Amino acid sequence: MSAQPRNHRGTWLKLSFLLLIAVMTPACAHLFGGTEGAAGTNDGIRGKRIALIMEFNTGTFSQQYADGIKEEIKRFGGELTTFVAENDKAKMGAQFEMAVTQKFDAILTDHGNSESLKAGMNKAAAQQIPVVAFDAPVKIPGVTVLEQGDEKMAQMTLEQMGNDIGGKGNIVKIWTAGFAPMERRQIAYDAFMKRNPDVKEIAAFGAATSSTALDTQAKMEAVLKQFPNKGDIAAVWAAYDEFAKGAARAIQESGRHEIKVYGIDMSDEDLQMIQDDNNPWIASAAVDPKDIGRVQVRLVYQKLHGDEVEGKVVLEPVFIKREDLPCKQISTTELSEYVKGWSGSTQGLKDWMIEYK
């Protein structure tokens, strides 16, 4: 009579042992219907639906930024859906609210303004949907804003320009209002002009359109005709790489090689122009656009993981000038060999992210 109970005890011991192995071994978790702790599913990170809402996606900078986002979301096993508002802020706001309605797990934004995004961001906060905004002037509790250190980038390029023209001369400014990074760059520009009274702004223009570089080129050509003599224009300061491209092409085609261009931002196309000895664009300050995307994704996954994330995160820019670059043509993936601090940012990385390759 005593043998049967002993067999029951043995069976329960075996089952308990197997259960312990399954719980402790991620690969076996599926045997008991569980997914938490399974390989690569730490805290339910994999499989998240992420929305990226862009005010515009024109230019190689925006393309490389979006590539960085895609790469990092893929690393975390997420699913990305991208919405592009085509320079329509109202449309961007509507797209954001649609992403909330569709219950995306997290939302990323690129540019936009407070007026268009505020309502949707408040709805996202109410539904506890994590949001990380890039280059948007929003102040919504729970929303993290990522920016590039725009004032510093402007200072870098302006100081180089000032030194190169000897602190005096006529300059052209290409800039536009209505964008948070532009407004921050304008602060540095105003300070520079006050410190350098012998530098005179003789023309200023700029507009973000679906063909920004081409439109800028046409406007720069008109300015060159207005000031046709050598010495009329000492330099051009462009607050955005699409502006720098358009201005540089107009100057190069006109043969006005004495005029140099100083820009902000960097992409493979930008770098190719700066490396060209016949191109007037000679320097730019920037953050790797792919790094911007990667860091933005890391921040939103920190939120998904339950980590505390600051309300404002600033990236550190670097200064790139022609004289520091090799004669051979390189891409931005090779730029770190010649410019310290370019690419490979570890900002936003957490120890728990190591398992995601």
Side-chain angles (χ1 to χ4, degrees):
M1 298 293 296
S2 61
Q4 190 171 355
R6 282 198 297 270
N7 285 341
H8 281 306
R9 286 197 298 271
T11 300
W12 279 112
L13 284 172
K14 288 178 182 179
L15 286 172
S16 298
F17 181 70
L18 287 172
L19 178 62
L20 179 62
I21 292 175
V23 170
M24 295 181 65
T25 307
C28 296
H30 68 282
L31 296 174
F32 292 83
T35 57
E36 292 297 319
T41 59
N42 182 43
D43 293 321
I45 291 299
R46 292 193 186 276
K48 296 297 185 183
R49 296 170 57 244
I50 314 296
L52 168 62
I53 304 169
M54 305 177 72
E55 184 174 347
F56 55 87
N57 66 346
T58 53
T60 50
F61 180 94
S62 289
Q63 293 164 14
Q64 289 183 234
Y65 157 78
D67 286 344
I69 285 180
K70 292 174 188 174
E71 289 174 11
E72 204 71 353
I73 288 178
K74 182 178 180 182
R75 172 191 176 191
F76 288 108
E79 176 188 331
L80 175 66
T81 302
T82 301
F83 303 87
V84 181
E86 300 172 328
N87 289 296
D88 184 335
K89 289 182 171 63
K91 181 178 178 180
M92 185 178 183
Q95 289 173 333
F96 192 104
E97 295 195 46
M98 181 172 63
V100 174
T101 301
Q102 293 180 3
K103 299 188 182 302
F104 278 85
D105 295 300
I107 301 173
L108 307 172
T109 67
D110 175 26
H111 289 83
N113 62 15
S114 180
E115 291 76 15
S116 62
L117 296 173
K118 184 177 180 180
M121 286 184 171
N122 281 325
K123 289 179 181 178
Q127 296 186 33
Q128 297 184 320
I129 299 174
V131 177
V132 179
F134 169 54
D135 270 350
V138 294
K139 293 183 180 179
I140 307 292
V143 173
T144 294
V145 177
L146 178 67
E147 60 182 66
Q148 299 185 72
D150 295 285
E151 285 188 54
K152 185 171 182 178
M153 289 195 293
Q155 289 167 0
M156 288 173 165
T157 53
L158 288 162
E159 291 302 324
Q160 184 69 50
M161 180 186 72
N163 291 336
D164 289 350
I165 65 176
K168 61 182 179 180
N170 298 330
I171 67 166
V172 174
K173 179 183 78 168
I174 312 178
W175 175 89
T176 186
F179 296 89
M182 294 287 185
E183 303 290 352
R184 292 191 290 265
R185 294 167 194 181
Q186 178 66 23
I187 293 171
Y189 180 84
D190 287 340
F192 170 82
M193 295 301 285
K194 288 177 182 177
R195 293 194 308 269
N196 296 271
D198 292 330
V199 177
K200 307 294 184 183
E201 179 191 295
I202 59 169
F205 63 89
T209 68
S210 59
S211 55
T212 302
L214 284 173
D215 292 344
T216 302
Q217 183 175 347
K219 291 174 182 176
M220 189 66 213
E221 287 169 353
V223 171
L224 292 170
K225 290 176 182 177
Q226 185 180 356
F227 300 94
N229 302 314
K230 185 175 181 179
D232 285 349
I233 302 172
V236 173
W237 182 72
Y240 170 39
D241 66 334
E242 293 298 301
F243 291 158
K245 288 177 193 175
R249 288 168 183 155
I251 294 167
Q252 188 172 22
E253 290 180 10
S254 71
R256 300 284 292 278
H257 303 295
E258 77 280 5
I259 304 171
K260 302 304 179 186
V261 176
Y262 301 80
I264 292 177
D265 296 330
M266 180 59 58
S267 69
D268 286 336
E269 185 180 6
D270 301 341
L271 184 58
Q272 185 177 15
M273 294 177 75
I274 292 174
Q275 283 195 268
D276 180 359
D277 289 335
N278 296 316
N279 195 291
W281 188 3
I282 62 170
S284 195
V287 176
D288 180 359
K290 285 190 176 182
D291 266 357
I292 296 170
R294 293 177 187 124
V295 173
Q296 190 177 7
V297 170
R298 292 168 194 163
L299 294 174
V300 88
Y301 270 91
Q302 284 183 34
K303 289 172 177 277
L304 287 167
H305 188 257
D307 300 348
E308 288 292 326
V309 183
E310 295 180 12
K312 178 180 176 180
V313 177
V314 180
L315 296 162
E316 186 67 24
V318 298
F319 189 64
I320 301 135
K321 55 184 186 294
R322 180 176 296 163
E323 61 193 72
D324 293 337
L325 302 174
C327 294
K328 67 174 183 177
Q329 184 64 55
I330 61 172
S331 69
T332 52
T333 58
E334 304 165 282
L335 189 55
S336 60
E337 298 175 27
Y338 306 93
V339 179
K340 184 178 179 181
W342 176 262
S343 194
S345 172
T346 59
Q347 205 163 346
L349 283 174
K350 296 289 185 179
D351 289 343
W352 63 263
M353 296 179 178
I354 293 173
E355 69 177 272
Y356 300 93
K357 303 297 184 183

